[in-house]
């Protein structure tokens, strides 16, 4: 036909290079929609469960009537087909999230993350290698898959940028926290790096891969600069390097990512494909703008309020050493800064941070509760855990080491601290009948606010707080908050506190003979003191005890000189539990693995059979790591 375009290998390559990136995005968008739909359905089911479940606050004490003590205790041991959906959901959790693949000594990946990773790899490489036969019948023509690998990789730059930001629309839609998004960010970036080397490396490997007139051109040189910068970025992002030199990784990531995106924009502009890359700058810029705006608001708002108030208010953060390697940072809560238990915040300490952009994430070891803050007396110990934004910082290297050295030299001192946050997800424990909180060392920053919140809300029946530490001196500062939680708990709630001191020799342990806590009980219901059973012949009367409360006299508290056997502890809780059980853990990779292993139980058979009334289990893991 007159005017018809002649079909050549080049026209086919160009047409497919324009079509396949769109199809990849259709697939990614469909997956995001599926996750969002699952989130909506889960939210609706949780709300229905809460409406049907009796409340200890509105329906009376569960301990008052044996019929109400355990809704399923009477039917436990009897198989019920109605529990099949719950058992299936638990089986999925066991397979997808509690079964992990160990890589090296410090890294493990759950099967759900593996599935997403392999699915992403499969989709990208199928689209990269399909229809690569040229018109002469040569299969896997390098010019087909080479160019297409480049366009597919470039099309995914906005996705990896979104996954690496703290404020993004994907978290709003799917509910997946930014920590998990960070894992997906690294995974997808490494997949794209392989695609980029398939694109750039094949041209170097083939004799006529690069035309003579292209050699030395700016767009080609910047393309290779971008690929080499991406490769270096992948190396410095490896977990061992991040762990040993986090600040080095932080600055290198910032600089190399800018080089990668800038080179990619200029390189793809030569093929009119830059529209897929430059939005990455907008995504990154929007995230930085939101974070900067938060920092400014939280820094300025306290000063504006103080200028209008006649009352003297604490303005500076205060830091003190709780142990030779543990710093407590107490920041007065800025107006508008609200968080939920289990969330974290980024902090900038100008006098310690190398540059103003250097921000470090730490879990918030306190709760935001206006009622508790209003009831606290000026002399009440531990009040910072419900009055201020508290961080427990373990001194390692870099920023944390410099902070510890400064506090050690000057003692308790005031300093300026800028906040950005909060970030992360707070575990939903409202529908849980039993909650097990497990922490190792400074992991108590995650579990202590949960304990205080659970005791204050009083919705669950049973809480077991487990803390594994090496230095017994930590008990001095945590005791007031634990006793406060015990005093807040309603009579219908059972709380046990198990503290394990793991030092190899008890002779090296300086266990405090007495940890006294002064509590302000004004306004508390009388039943709050029921949880403070000391084991004495007469009830323990807080109001008549002038010396305060000795943590080690409380029957609810047990201190052991050993390492916790998590499988035995968790199984003992599951044996007598009913309804829904949540297990929240924060600690080392070893602790996380041990807890996951103890919860890999068969929900269809054995003593943990949900079909026969065993509890449904949800696991929340917050492992030590580097953002």
């Amino acid at each position: 036909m007159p005017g018809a375009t002649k079909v050549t290998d080049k026209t086919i390559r160009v047409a497919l290079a324009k079509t396949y990136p769109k199809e990849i995005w259709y697939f990614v968008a469909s997956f995001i929609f599926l996750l969002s739909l699952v989130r909506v359905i889960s939210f609706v089911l949780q709300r229905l469960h809460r409406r049907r479940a009796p409340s200890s606050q509105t329906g009376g004490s569960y301990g008052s009537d044996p019929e109400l003590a355990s809704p399923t205790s009477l039917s436990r041991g009897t198989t019920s087909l109605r529990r099949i959906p719950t058992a299936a959901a638990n089986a999925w959790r066991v397979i997808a999230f509690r079964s992990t693949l160990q890589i090296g000594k410090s890294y493990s990946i759950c099967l759900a993350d593996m599935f997403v990773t392999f699915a992403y790899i499969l989709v990208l490489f199928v689209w990269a290698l399909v229809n690569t036969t040229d018109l002469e019948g040569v299969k896997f023509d390098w010019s087909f898959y080479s160019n297409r690998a480049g366009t597919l990789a470039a099309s995914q730059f906005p996705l990896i940028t979104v996954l690496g930001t703290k404020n993004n629309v994907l978290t709003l839609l799917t509910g997946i926290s930014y920590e998990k998004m960070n894992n997906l960010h690294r995974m997808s970036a490494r997949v794209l790096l392989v695609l980029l080397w398939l694109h750039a490396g094949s041209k170097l490997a083939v004799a006529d891969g690069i035309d003579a007139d292209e050699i030395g051109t700016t767009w080609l040189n910047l393309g290779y600069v971008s690929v080499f910068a991406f490769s270096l970025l992948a190396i410095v992002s490896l977990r061992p390097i991040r762990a040993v030199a986090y600040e080095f990784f932080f600055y290198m990531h910032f600089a190399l990512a800018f080089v990668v995106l800038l080179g990619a924009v200029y390189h793809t502009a030569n093929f009119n494909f830059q529209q897929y890359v430059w939005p990455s700058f907008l995504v990154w810029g929007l995230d930085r703008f939101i974070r900067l705006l938060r920092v400014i608001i939280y820094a300025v708002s306290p000063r504006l309020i103080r200028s209008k108030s006649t009352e003297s208010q604490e303005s500076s953060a205060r830091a003190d050493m709780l142990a030779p390697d543990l710093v407590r940072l107490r920041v007065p809560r800025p107006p508008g800064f609200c968080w939920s238990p289990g969330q974290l915040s980024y902090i900038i300490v100008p006098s310690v941070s190398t540059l103003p952009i250097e921000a470090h994430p730490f879990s918030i070891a306190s709760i935001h509760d206006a009622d508790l803050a209003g009831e606290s007396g000026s002399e009440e110990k531990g009040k910072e855990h419900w009055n201020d934004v508290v961080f427990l910082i373990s001194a390692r290297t870099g920023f944390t080491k410099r902070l510890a050295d400064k506090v050690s030299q000057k003692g308790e001192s005031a300093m300026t601290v800028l906040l950005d946050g909060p970030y992360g997800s707070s575990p939903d424990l409202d529908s849980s009948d039993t909650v097990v909180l497990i922490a190792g060392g400074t992991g108590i920053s995650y579990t202590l606010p949960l304990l205080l919140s659970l005791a204050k809300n009083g919705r669950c029946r049973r809480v077991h707080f487990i803390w594994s530490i090496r230095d017994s001196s930590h008990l001095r500062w945590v005791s007031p908050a634990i006793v406060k939680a015990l005093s807040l708990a309603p009579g219908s709630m059972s709380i046990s506190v198990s503290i394990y001191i793991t030092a190899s020799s008890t002779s090296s342990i300086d266990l405090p003979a007495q940890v006294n806590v002064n509590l302000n009980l004004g306004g508390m219901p009388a039943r709050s003191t029921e949880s403070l059973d000391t084991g004495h012949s007469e009830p323990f009367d807080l109001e008549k005890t002038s010396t305060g409360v000795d943590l080690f006299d409380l029957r609810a508290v047990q201190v052991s000189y050993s390492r916790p056997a998590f499988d035995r502890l968790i199984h003992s809780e599951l044996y007598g539990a009913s309804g829904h059980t949540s297990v929240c853990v924060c600690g080392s990779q070893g602790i996380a693995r041990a807890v996951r292993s103890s919860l890999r139980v068969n929900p269809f058979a054995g003593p943990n059979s949900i079909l026969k009334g065993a509890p449904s289990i949800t696991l929340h893991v917050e492992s030590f790591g580097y953002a």
Side-chain angles (χ1 to χ4, degrees), residues 33 153 358 363 484 494:
F33 174 79
E358 182 185 324
S363 297
K484 183 71 169 183
S494 169

Side-chain angles (χ1 to χ4, degrees), residues 356-369:
I357 62 173
E358 182 185 324
H360 295 263
F362 297 99
S363 297
I364 303 176
S366 54
I367 64 173
H368 173 224
D369 193 295

Side-chain angles (χ1 to χ4, degrees), residues 286-304:
L286 178 61
D287 175 65
R288 286 291 166 176
F289 174 76
I290 294 174
R291 297 184 64 181
L292 177 61
L293 188 62
R294 279 204 188 103
V295 171
I296 294 175
I297 291 175
Y298 295 147
V300 173
S301 57
R303 300 179 182 179
L304 295 177

Side-chain angles (χ1 to χ4, degrees), residues 25 28 31-32 35 116 120 156-171 174 176-190 192 253 280 283-284 287 346 627:
W25 269 106
V28 171
F31 184 68
I32 294 172
L35 293 179
V116 173
Y120 191 66
Q156 297 300 292
F157 271 76
L159 177 63
I160 63 173
T161 305
V162 169
L163 293 174
T165 56
K166 307 299 182 294
N167 308 278
N168 62 75
V169 67
L170 293 185
T171 295
T174 63
I176 300 175
S177 66
Y178 97 94
E179 305 101 315
K180 179 65 69 174
M181 291 289 185
N182 233 332
N183 293 335
L184 297 176
H185 164 75
R186 289 191 288 268
M187 174 274 294
S188 58
R190 289 160 185 162
L192 296 189
H253 184 281
S280 300
V283 173
W284 180 85
D287 175 65
Y346 279 77

